[in-house]
Amino acid sequence: MGYAIGVDVGGTFTDVVLRTPTGTLTAAKCLSTHDDPIAGIASGVTRVLAGVDPAQVSRVVHATTLATNAVLERKGARVAFVTTLGFRSVIPLGRYARVEEDRYDLRFTPPPPPVAAADCFEVVERVSARGTVLTPLDPDSVRRVAARITARGITSAAVCLLHSYACPEHERQVAAILRESIPNVVISSEIWPEIREYERATTTIMSAYVGPLMASYLSRLSARLAELGVRAPIHVMESSGGVISAELAARRAVSTIESGPAAGVLAAAGTGAGDVISFDMGGTTAKVCVVRDGRPEITREFHVGGKGSFGGRRAGTGVPIKTPAIDLAEIGAGGGSIAWLDAAGALRVGPRSAGSSPGPACYALGGREPTVTDANLVLGYLSSATIPLSPSLAARALDRLAGPLGVTPAEAAHAVHEIVSASMASAVHVVTVQRGIDPRGFTLVAFGGAGPMHAARVAERFGISRVLVPAHSGVASAAGLLTGALSTERVISRLDAADPDALFDELARTAAADLGLPLTTPGLELTRSADVRFHGQSHDLTVPWSPVREELASRFSTKYTQVYGITQQSTIEVVAYRLRLTLPPPSLTLPSPSAGAARRGTAEVGATRTARTGVTPAAKEARTGVTPTAKETSTTTRAAYFGGAYVEVPVHTRDTLERLHGPAVIEDPESTIVVPPSWTATLDEARAVHLIRESAP
């Protein structure tokens, strides 16, 4: 096994991690280059490969928000929608739910559909829900549609015929004709052959919408890495946490829409802490997910492009996507989130972010508006980062809030810190309390460039007493990419199929072809599941498959009770059959705990952290009542804002940490951990920092 590279492109920083064959990690953070994300990736790859032969890299895994941004910013390809005669209005009519802020708006205007009515076309054909051909396909009607699409200058088409999940032959014939004149044609029976016409259509449309952009991007990325000497295959993280080849990601681009957030959840799940809440706060957003027994929750329908609702999008306000995705909440709250005053003079934070250009004011890159990072610098929680920080510019930015509010810059900064922590706590509330989960028994796993600074305060709001900050927490998402298994999922809708085994065998062959692997590959895992519902109901739940009807019914009844809180007994029916094919990554020989310096890796130039003054052992003992250890006597201190005033607190790194009582600060090359009063910090053999709440403040 050779070297492996993980690349996570965020809104502010691009994180790159190099893992050696023995598991040693080297990390680099570079400012993201939004005009050309590949430039930032190349810079990070060059840094981590210093002194390493690029030809030894055997794997590159990438998480990207390219598809998400294309949907949110409406920058994808113009798409033609082709469907069965009589159904062209399915997309223009759409489906929209008025949420709170729209409910009483007399001037409410629904968002535009993903495809304009003029770009929707019909062909003559019809099949039944059981797959019986009711009206044969008319090839001439397809050719007429192709001519009209070409005349409109459209180069991407999404084909979704009625009930094609039961009989895909018509879609294949339509695609063959359209491809004679249209470069990119996507059909629903290849993307996601499930029931529910609207959701299947929108999923197919979104794949056609972002597919050309993804294919071009991955092709350019491959060429740029080859110029650097890296010719390893590129894999892309999919929304459900598996990784797929770049070629498959281009063909099924819709499966990468939630690519970026998934990697961080895998990193949290990989800590081995049992039931955890993954808390990832970067420069632009914060993501939260519940992980139980090492497995994150998976949803098979999410919404994009609608109104934000703690990340996901509110059902009915965006475009539904029917592909597996890690079920997480996401909010526009990160280190670069801008603090501002609304029309009533109230302080607000986010969702607008300073990003990487111009970035927070303290970056000295031209930004002037106060951000969360500026506030944390003024509070003394932060002293330096992956680029040099300017305390004077941060203080000047906070003055823009302090003056109108009639408070000191420190008080304004503390208010910003508290507001953004409360916003992130709302995301935790969504994935726990709102779903009937008591978060108090969970460990909060914090990572991202800004997460460890806010984690303890977020945990306190829910009575969570344990916070874990893993090694390399600032680049945990990039490191998490390297733990993702090569994986893909296939599904097909059939109402109580007569021969489920034959369906599963066909799904396995298709999935193996997607991954380019023979089914006899050693270590290949096949997981079967089914979508089941009570007879007469409309919606279903996914449960592990069993050919024994009574056992399948029992599994469904148990899941039904977990989801809805009531126990039901009735006749069940199987709606769809699912198969996930997984090839776990090669196991590693991990370095020993003593290999601290090698395992810490490197950060970008400017990442050095310095404290301002020394602290004597006597002063330490007088302040805390605890005799300092040999490691603690070598620490430094700085003024930080706790309890409404600045106090001198010890500043540690993981190298000097044994057992530490808050208030204190622990600095990493890529992030900073804030230990508030009433919390204790310790370091384990894996170099993870554990924060334990001693008592209520």
Side-chain angles (χ1 to χ4, degrees), residues 4 74 114 131 168 191 201 216 245 251 264 298 458 592 610 632:
R74 292 187 170 266
I191 296 300
S216 172
S245 67
R251 295 201 315 271
I298 300 292
V458 172
S592 64
T610 56
E632 287 176 322

Side-chain angles (χ1 to χ4, degrees), residues 300-320:
R300 286 178 168 82
E301 180 178 324
F302 58 98
H303 296 73
V304 296
K307 296 202 171 182
S309 142
F310 305 106
R313 307 289 174 190
R314 290 179 186 168
T317 71
V319 179

Side-chain angles (χ1 to χ4, degrees), residues 502 504-514 519:
F504 281 124
D505 289 344
E506 178 58 31
L507 291 173
R509 286 192 292 270
T510 306
D514 284 343
L519 282 171

Side-chain angles (χ1 to χ4, degrees), residues 221-269:
L221 176 60
S222 178
R224 184 69 182 94
L225 291 179
E227 292 176 4
L228 298 176
V230 178
R231 302 184 181 276
I234 298 175
H235 291 148
V236 179
M237 177 68 68
E238 63 173 0
S239 304
S240 63
V243 296
I244 55 179
S245 67
E247 294 77 12
L248 183 57
R251 295 201 315 271
R252 296 178 61 188
V254 70
S255 67
T256 69
I257 285 181
E258 291 293 318
S259 166
V265 177
L266 292 186

Side-chain angles (χ1 to χ4, degrees), residues 71-275:
V71 174
L72 295 177
E73 300 170 11
R74 292 187 170 266
K75 291 183 178 180
R78 183 180 176 186
V79 177
F81 175 60
V82 180
T83 189
T84 302
L85 181 65
F87 290 85
R88 67 182 295 271
S89 295
V90 166
I91 295 303
L93 287 174
R95 186 184 301 147
Y96 190 85
R98 285 204 184 194
V99 291
E100 289 83 356
E101 57 266 40
D102 298 330
R103 199 160 290 157
Y104 305 107
D105 185 357
L106 299 179
R107 296 180 176 84
F108 169 75
T109 301
V115 176
D119 292 339
C120 296
F121 304 90
E122 298 172 332
V123 297
V124 177
E125 70 87 39
R126 184 70 178 267
V127 300
S128 73
R130 297 288 180 179
T132 304
V133 175
L134 304 177
T135 303
L137 176 68
D138 178 5
D140 289 337
S141 70
V142 182
R143 294 187 181 95
R144 289 192 295 270
V145 164
R148 293 170 61 192
I149 293 173
T150 303
R152 296 178 70 83
I154 301 174
T155 58
S156 188
V159 181
C160 184
L161 304 182
L162 195 67
H163 302 310
S164 63
Y165 56 85
C167 178
E169 189 55 37
H170 283 182
E171 279 195 350
R172 293 169 184 163
Q173 294 177 34
V174 170
I177 295 172
L178 294 180
R179 285 173 180 144
E180 295 174 359
S181 55
I182 301 170
N184 183 54
V185 179
V186 177
I187 63 176
S188 70
S189 54
E190 290 182 357
I191 296 300
W192 213 250
E194 282 195 83
I195 61 171
R196 306 192 189 282
E197 297 305 315
Y198 180 67
E199 288 82 356
R200 184 160 55 88
T202 54
T203 301
T204 309
I205 288 168
M206 286 298 102
S207 198
Y209 186 71
V210 300
L213 190 67
M214 181 67 72
S216 172
Y217 169 78
L218 292 174
S219 176
R220 290 186 293 108
L221 176 60
S222 178
R224 184 69 182 94
L225 291 179
E227 292 176 4
L228 298 176
V230 178
R231 302 184 181 276
I234 298 175
H235 291 148
V236 179
M237 177 68 68
E238 63 173 0
S239 304
S240 63
V243 296
I244 55 179
S245 67
E247 294 77 12
L248 183 57
R251 295 201 315 271
R252 296 178 61 188
V254 70
S255 67
T256 69
I257 285 181
E258 291 293 318
S259 166
V265 177
L266 292 186
T271 59
D275 292 348

Side-chain angles (χ1 to χ4, degrees), residues 362 371-385 389-392 394-395 398 409-415 417 452-454 609-613 636-643 645-652 663-667 671-676:
C362 61
T371 67
V372 174
T373 296
D374 294 311
N376 286 332
L377 183 60
V378 168
L379 293 172
Y381 302 156
L382 186 65
S383 68
S384 62
L389 302 181
S390 169
S392 61
L398 266 298
E411 291 171 329
H414 187 253
H417 181 89
M453 273 187 287
H454 295 262
R609 300 176 181 273
T610 56
R612 296 172 189 147
T613 60
T636 54
T637 69
R638 69 164 173 261
Y641 195 87
F642 289 100
Y646 283 99
V647 295
E648 286 293 316
V649 301
V651 179
H652 280 263
V665 172
I666 305 167
E667 294 190 323
S671 65
T672 294
I673 305 168
V674 171
V675 186

Side-chain angles (χ1 to χ4, degrees), residues 495-496 531-537 540 549 571-575:
L495 293 177
D496 282 326
D531 293 353
V532 183
R533 66 187 179 190
F534 285 125
H535 187 77
Q537 292 192 339
D540 45 71
R549 195 73 172 186
T571 304
I572 65 167
E573 63 179 351
V574 179
V575 179

